[in-house]
Amino acid sequence: PGSCRSNLPPPPCPRSNPADDFFRNARSGWPIWLQHVLRESGALRRLEDTLILFGIPSLIKEYPDSFRDFIELSTNRRNDSVRSKLSQIRYGSNNMQFIDLIEPINRNSDPLSPNGVIAFVHGGAWGSGQPWMYRLVSLPFLAMNKAVAIIGYRT
């Protein structure tokens, strides 16, 4: 299904930039009760998920086609590098309980019979992150004709 770049170099080590630990270091000085209140209210998750957006320019600089591929994965648009269909499947009552299912399709937008399904549970220490942030991980698997299920969860 297309010419997805499955042999990309690994991303740069996040430890290579000491500024990457800014939020973790800042939060470590907060009182435990405040961390619990922010976590339980969802405010910490919203803050961390918003801060991740600041990393997008670095991602685009390292992988220039990543923005285009992300948009195409997210909008069901097709080109030679990304041929996929995105569906959201709800499995619970919480708004974070859903699966982004990304399935390979052929040039005519017909579904292919995938050669397996990869289940991906995103990181975030059960406290941050959302499936849309990880859609690019599906590219090498789509190239192998595999569907990818990125699983969201409530904290």
Side-chain angles (χ1 to χ4, degrees):
S3 59
C4 294
R5 294 164 307 282
S6 59
N7 56 354
L8 288 173
C13 175
R15 296 277 181 224
S16 64
N17 181 357
D20 288 343
D21 284 335
F22 169 78
F23 189 70
R24 183 177 310 130
N25 291 336
R27 192 176 69 183
S28 68
W30 297 353
I32 296 296
W33 68 265
L34 178 60
Q35 292 183 46
H36 286 261
V37 167
L38 292 173
R39 185 190 67 224
E40 296 303 320
S41 70
L44 191 59
R45 180 179 198 139
R46 285 188 293 280
L47 176 62
E48 290 173 339
D49 289 352
T50 301
L51 289 174
I52 200 79
L53 299 174
F54 290 106
I56 292 174
S58 298
L59 177 71
I60 292 171
K61 181 179 178 187
E62 190 70 25
Y63 302 104
D65 294 335
S66 61
F67 184 71
R68 183 201 68 210
D69 290 345
F70 176 80
I71 295 299
E72 289 164 355
L73 284 165
S74 299
T75 60
N76 288 326
R77 293 177 53 209
R78 284 93 176 148
N79 73 15
D80 285 337
S81 78
V82 178
R83 277 199 205 29
S84 63
K85 175 187 168 200
L86 171 67
S87 305
Q88 281 196 347
I89 302 166
R90 296 226 161 259
Y91 66 87
S93 59
N94 186 283
N95 66 349
M96 294 303 297
Q97 292 176 305
F98 68 91
I99 298 169
D100 269 357
L101 180 63
I102 304 172
E103 301 173 275
I105 59 172
N106 67 17
R107 290 188 184 279
N108 299 324
S109 299
D110 297 325
L112 296 171
S113 294
N115 184 20
V117 177
I118 303 296
F120 181 88
V121 180
H122 64 80
W126 303 105
S128 65
Q130 298 182 35
W132 67 265
M133 297 174 175
Y134 299 91
R135 288 180 182 157
L136 289 173
V137 303
S138 67
L139 290 175
F141 300 110
L142 291 169
M144 295 184 289
N145 193 35
K146 295 186 183 303
V148 179
I150 306 172
I151 303 166
Y153 49 84
R154 66 182 222 178
T155 56

